[in-house]
């Protein structure tokens, strides 16, 4: 799957965008001079327009040839813009950007995507049906949107089970803490509902989109599987698979891919994903591969050919376009629509305008970071909602809504009362930015150290066991 915490590898810097715009302008001019096909020119112009939009979003300036961005552009390091800056958020499977220091406007996104808000009634219902206190991600609105979750709970109350599907796009050996979000929540769902889980590693997708060899992508998939296993999943209820391995080994999976491909037109994938005539055909056909795990008969070793088992997909909301397509196709090929739970994005250290990036070491806290690296990154790079001086901060207080250290604590600090006290103390000025960062550092260091210890215990044999197609232990 394109990474269910979001595939985006971070936004381009202003200068990189500027250089891309120069190059794309040259391409458009050369195509027109050569009197190329109208479709080819149109595709190049569309890409040029998108780059101009991205450039303005990142720099706050219109692109002008011969006028590179100034060095003091606020967004050059993805730093937050002014509160309340009003602009259309960019959210798709490859890019996440907003001009608002508080991050993406998720209420607007719900309207735009046509999903449903996870309200208190649904959270209370999950608690009632599962018999467990709702996970902090649900209590705090980190998972904030859904499709058909009530339907899943209705069926579960009638003793009709379901299964979970999530994934990871393995673009590097090291994962960062943002990548853990869907897996932490999926493990909780697996535990409280006692249900099977499939995890797709889209090494094929990374090969199509990135400048990587097939061998590198597959190796990254195996390395990422070790971090996923270290989250504590039950091997008797969990199947992790690499697309490069499983597609060739499962006729049933590939048959579903072909069925989906037959029912989605080129115009539809262009409209959903923004593909152009210049994209390789592998990209155009890939969405069907991400869709196929949504259908239970793609895993005959688990479900014995049954095609009626409901699927629930926890993922970041930027992955929703894949599953809107899937839900549109499902009834036409005789399968139930998958249900979804959408999470917010885990912000970069520099601010909530974009997600953490695996390609920028200073935007992310990696699962391989040492305690010292964690401390240095938080202290040096975590955007502060505090005031410029201690006196001013004590008098006016800080803004926890834009402070990255506080945002991270909402993800990882379990105690609701402690979190609320930190919010109030920071907003009142009783808690200084340095003290808030210290709390975050002391939260992250043991969490990541414990993950590293668990990962050391994951052997090659364990990975092989998780990734071998086999029956799982559960009751439908």
């Amino acid at each position: 799957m394109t990474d269910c915490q979001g595939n985006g590898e971070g936004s381009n810097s202003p200068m990189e965008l500027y250089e891309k715009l120069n190059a794309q302008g040259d391409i458009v001019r050369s195509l027109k001079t050569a009197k190329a096909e109208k479709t080819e020119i149109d595709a190049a112009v569309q890409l040029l327009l998108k780059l101009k939009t991205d450039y303005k979003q990142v720099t706050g300036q219109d692109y002008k040839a011969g006028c590179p961005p100034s060095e003091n552009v606020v967004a050059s390091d993805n730093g937050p813009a002014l509160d309340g800056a009003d602009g259309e958020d960019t959210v798709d499977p490859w890019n996440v950007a907003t001009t608002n220091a508080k991050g993406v406007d998720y209420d607007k996104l719900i309207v735009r995507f046509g999903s449903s808000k996870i309200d208190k009634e649904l959270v209370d219902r999950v608690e009632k049906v599962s018999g467990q206190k709702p996970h902090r991600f649900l209590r705090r609105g980190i998972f904030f949107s859904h499709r058909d979750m009530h339907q899943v709970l209705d069926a579960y109350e009638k003793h009709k089970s379901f299964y979970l599907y999530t994934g990871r796009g393995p673009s590097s050996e090291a994962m960062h803490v943002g990548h853990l979000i869907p897996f932490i929540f999926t493990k909780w769902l697996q535990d409280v509902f006692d249900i099977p889980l499939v995890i797709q590693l889209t090494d094929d997708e990374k090969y199509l989109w990135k400048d990587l060899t097939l061998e590198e992508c597959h190796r990254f998939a195996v390395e990422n599987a070790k971090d996923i296993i270290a989250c504590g999943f039950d091997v008797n209820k969990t199947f992790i698979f690499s697309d490069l391995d499983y597609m060739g080994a499962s006729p049933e999976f590939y048959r579903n891919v072909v069925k989906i491909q037959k029912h989605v037109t080129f115009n539809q994938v262009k409209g959903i994903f923004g593909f152009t005539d210049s994209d390789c055909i592998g990209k155009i056909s890939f969405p069907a591969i991400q869709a196929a795990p949504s259908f239970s008969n793609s895993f005959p070793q688990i479900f014995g050919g049954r095609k009626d088992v409901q699927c629930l997909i926890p993922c970041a909301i930027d992955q929703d376009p894949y599953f809107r397509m899937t839900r549109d196709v499902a009834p036409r090929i005789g399968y139930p629509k998958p249900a979804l739970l959408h999470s917010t994005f885990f912000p970069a250290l520099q601010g909530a305008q974009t997600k953490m990036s695996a390609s920028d070491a200073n935007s992310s806290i990696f699962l391989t970071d040492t305690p010292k690296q964690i401390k240095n990154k938080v202290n040096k790079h975590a955007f502060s909602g505090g005031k410029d001086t201690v006196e001013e901060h004590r008098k006016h207080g800080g803004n926890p809504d834009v402070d990255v250290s506080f945002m991270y604590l909402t993800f990882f600090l379990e105690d609701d009362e402690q979190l609320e006290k930190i919010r109030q103390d920071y907003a009142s000025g009783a808690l200084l930015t340095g003290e808030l960062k210290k709390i975050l550092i002391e939260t992250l260091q043991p969490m990541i150290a414990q993950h590293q210890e668990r990962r050391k215990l994951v052997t090659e044999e364990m990975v092989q066991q998780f990734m071998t197609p086999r029956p799982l232990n559960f009751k439908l």
Side-chain angles (χ1 to χ4, degrees):
M1 177 183 264
T2 47
D3 185 358
C4 279
Q5 170 51 29
N7 172 26
E9 296 300 327
S11 300
N12 292 293
S13 71
M15 185 52 74
E16 286 172 330
L17 278 171
Y18 177 76
E19 289 169 353
K20 282 186 178 182
L21 273 161
N22 287 341
Q24 190 63 24
D26 290 342
I27 290 170
V28 171
R29 283 189 291 275
S30 65
L31 288 173
K32 288 180 176 178
T33 301
K35 297 185 178 177
E37 293 285 333
K38 183 177 183 298
T39 52
E40 195 175 357
I41 294 172
D42 287 348
V45 169
Q46 284 300 111
L47 180 54
L48 182 66
L49 292 172
K50 183 183 184 305
L51 286 168
K52 285 183 176 180
T53 301
D54 291 347
Y55 183 83
K56 184 164 186 178
Q57 201 156 34
V58 169
T59 66
Q61 305 166 356
D62 288 322
Y63 164 75
K64 292 179 184 177
C67 296
S70 59
E71 291 182 5
N72 61 352
V73 169
V74 173
S76 61
D77 65 348
N78 298 326
L82 295 173
D83 281 7
D86 189 25
E88 184 73 9
D89 296 335
T90 298
V91 177
D92 62 39
W94 304 281
N95 301 286
V96 175
T98 177
T99 56
N100 194 323
K102 294 180 181 178
V104 170
D105 187 327
Y106 293 105
D107 288 332
K108 283 185 181 177
L109 208 55
I110 286 172
V111 174
R112 194 166 121 202
F113 281 11
S115 58
S116 302
K117 189 177 180 67
I118 294 178
D119 54 17
K120 187 177 184 302
E121 180 192 349
L122 180 56
V123 175
D124 289 345
R125 191 168 178 218
V126 169
E127 180 173 19
K128 180 187 171 192
V129 173
S130 69
Q132 300 286 330
K133 180 181 179 180
H135 194 276
R136 63 182 182 274
F137 290 175
L138 276 176
R139 302 196 305 267
R140 296 174 189 166
I142 289 167
F143 274 80
F144 71 100
S145 163
H146 74 99
R147 294 186 188 277
D148 290 346
M149 187 60 190
H150 281 294
Q151 181 183 308
V152 170
L153 295 174
D154 287 345
Y156 190 79
E157 284 182 318
K158 296 171 184 172
H159 307 291
K160 186 176 180 183
S161 192
F162 61 98
Y163 75 100
L164 296 163
Y165 156 39
T166 192
R168 160 84 182 126
S171 59
S172 63
E173 279 189 32
M175 290 168 57
H176 59 59
V177 288
H179 292 138
L180 288 182
I181 303 308
F183 296 113
I184 291 169
F185 188 59
T186 300
K187 182 188 182 302
W188 181 81
L189 289 168
Q190 182 184 56
D191 290 345
V192 300
F193 289 105
D194 192 26
I195 48 176
L197 161 67
V198 296
I199 299 174
Q200 182 182 43
L201 301 174
T202 57
D203 39 13
D204 54 344
E205 178 238 355
K206 290 304 173 188
Y207 173 70
L208 293 169
W209 263 267
K210 300 284 181 183
D211 185 20
L212 297 167
T213 66
L214 275 172
E215 291 72 25
E216 284 174 322
C217 293
H218 188 264
R219 181 168 59 83
F220 293 160
V222 173
E223 289 303 310
N224 286 186
K226 294 175 183 176
D227 276 310
I228 293 167
I229 292 166
C231 292
F233 290 106
D234 184 344
V235 68
N236 296 310
K237 294 183 173 66
T238 306
F239 173 46
I240 303 173
F241 65 98
S242 141
D243 283 345
L244 290 175
D245 290 337
Y246 192 61
M247 277 276 286
S250 175
E252 293 83 1
F253 187 92
Y254 184 61
R255 287 181 183 190
N256 275 342
V257 169
V258 172
K259 284 181 185 177
I260 297 159
Q261 288 172 338
K262 183 171 181 175
H263 288 81
V264 182
T265 68
F266 181 43
N267 275 341
Q268 283 175 310
V269 291
K270 281 203 296 185
I272 296 168
F273 300 103
F275 296 143
T276 71
D277 294 347
S278 301
D279 280 310
C280 72
I281 60 174
K283 290 184 180 182
I284 294 155
S285 60
F286 174 75
I289 298 172
Q290 183 155 321
S294 308
F295 306 131
S296 56
N297 65 342
S298 291
F299 305 99
Q301 72 279 10
I302 300 173
F303 300 107
R306 282 186 60 175
K307 64 180 186 179
D308 62 336
V309 185
Q310 175 93 49
C311 177
L312 174 63
I313 306 169
C315 63
I317 188 122
D318 60 342
Q319 299 301 297
D320 189 67
Y322 283 105
F323 301 113
R324 291 202 299 272
M325 182 200 79
T326 307
R327 286 167 56 84
D328 178 61
V329 169
R332 291 188 278 145
I333 56 178
Y335 299 148
K337 292 181 179 182
L340 285 100
L341 291 169
H342 299 124
S343 75
T344 59
F345 303 115
F346 197 86
L349 281 168
Q350 287 81 1
Q353 275 98 334
T354 186
K355 298 178 295 183
M356 273 194 173
S357 165
S359 60
D360 180 356
N362 290 325
S363 79
S364 311
I365 304 291
F366 284 90
L367 300 180
T368 52
D369 282 347
T370 64
K372 185 177 179 182
Q373 286 174 315
I374 294 166
K375 181 179 179 180
N376 289 341
K377 284 184 180 181
V378 171
N379 281 331
K380 187 175 179 182
H381 297 291
F383 180 78
S384 165
K387 297 298 184 285
D388 292 337
T389 66
V390 171
E391 293 75 15
E392 199 180 348
H393 186 90
R394 292 286 191 207
K395 183 177 180 181
H396 300 290
N399 183 354
D401 292 335
V402 303
D403 190 288
V404 165
S405 295
F406 184 79
M407 290 180 190
Y408 282 20
L409 287 172
T410 65
F411 282 87
F412 296 122
L413 197 64
E414 177 61 33
D415 190 317
D416 291 339
E417 289 183 10
Q418 184 185 359
L419 184 71
E420 181 56 29
K421 186 175 188 315
I422 291 168
R423 171 191 280 279
Q424 291 176 7
D425 286 351
Y426 192 62
S428 71
L431 187 70
L432 297 174
T433 295
E435 295 167 333
L436 177 58
K437 287 186 174 186
K438 186 171 184 286
I439 295 170
L440 175 63
I441 291 163
E442 291 172 351
T443 302
L444 288 176
Q445 284 175 334
M447 184 190 89
I448 292 175
Q450 288 160 19
H451 179 89
Q452 290 167 355
E453 288 303 309
R454 291 194 302 268
R455 193 186 192 280
K456 285 178 189 174
L457 301 176
V458 178
T459 63
E460 297 295 334
E461 291 73 24
M462 288 174 67
V463 175
Q464 188 63 39
Q465 190 179 0
F466 270 93
M467 297 186 74
T468 297
R470 67 202 187 284
L472 297 180
N473 181 21
F474 67 96
K475 290 180 182 178
L476 280 178

